[in-house]
């Protein structure tokens, strides 16, 4: 298996973006969703993305199918839940639960669990096995932590893994040691 891309999502502070990059994360996400505990404004997301190292992909995350049209100008990728119709280039289609039917070739699919869910081990294993059967480049998300990401990578064999609360001390506040452990464990498992 090739190297796995690691995305640390829910960034709200510049020092956390810097620490994620130093830990080896290949992407950082900014949640542009007002009611999210990790949500920040579009302007704040742009500022944090502009400060990210060039080698780290920046991702604007939207909860619905109507992202700011300028998002594709300011971020490397735009992650959209509930996308219907044509998929713009540099878009990640996000879903919670069942993957959508047809996606254009090469469009990354982020497979997530229900928002704020706390699945048991059996539910996580089923989620990882479901991800392994998807033909699109899969970004595996949902309750991933430094403690389970290696097993998730070995089971699902995803293109990328994504975490937010799995490396936090509080919503939007990242623990730098947990980020290092998450990246290390994901990459060693790949």
């Amino acid at each position: 298996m090739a190297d796995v891309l690691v995305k640390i999502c829910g960034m709200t502070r510049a020092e956390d973006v810097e620490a994620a990059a130093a830990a080896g994360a290949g992407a950082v996400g900014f949640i542009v969703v007002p009611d999210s505990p990790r949500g920040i404004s579009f302007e704040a997301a742009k500022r944090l993305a502009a400060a990210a190292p060039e080698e780290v992909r920046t991702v604007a995350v939207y909860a619905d199918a109507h992202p700011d049209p300028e998002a594709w100008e300011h971020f490397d990728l735009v992650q959209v839940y509930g996308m219907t119709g044509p998929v713009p280039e540099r878009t990640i289609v996000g879903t919670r639960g069942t993957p959508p039917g047809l996606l254009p070739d090469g469009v990354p699919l982020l497979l997530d669990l229900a928002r704020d869910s706390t699945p048991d081990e059996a539910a996580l294993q089923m989620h990882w096995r479901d991800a392994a059967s998807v033909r699109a480049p899969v970004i595996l998300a949902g309750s991933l932590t430094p403690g389970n990401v290696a097993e998730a990578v070995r089971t699902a064999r995803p293109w990328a893994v994504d975490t937010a609360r799995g490396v936090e001390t509080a919503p939007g506040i990242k623990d730098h040691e947990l980020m290092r452990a998450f990246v290390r464990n994901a990459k060693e498992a790949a």
Side-chain angles (χ1 to χ4, degrees), residues 45-140:
K46 283 186 348 186
R47 281 192 301 277
L48 288 171
E54 189 175 307
E55 69 276 6
V56 175
R57 295 176 189 169
T58 58
V59 183
V61 179
Y62 290 87
D64 62 31
H66 306 288
D68 188 310
E70 289 184 31
W72 284 271
E73 296 173 31
H74 299 283
F75 301 91
D76 297 315
L77 297 161
V78 178
Q79 179 180 315
V80 182
Y81 285 85
M83 166 99 22
T84 58
V87 178
E89 286 187 37
R90 298 183 5 254
T91 298
I92 297 168
V93 174
T95 186
R96 287 181 167 83
T98 307
L102 295 174
L103 281 177
D105 285 344
V107 171
L109 177 64
L110 183 128
L111 291 178
D112 206 346
L113 294 169
R115 192 171 174 182
D116 297 325
S117 66
T118 52
D120 63 16
E121 185 65 28
L124 282 175
Q125 289 286 335
M126 187 170 68
H127 179 59
W128 301 341
R129 284 192 304 276
D130 288 347
S133 68
V134 175
R135 294 187 187 265
V138 169
I139 303 171
L140 184 63

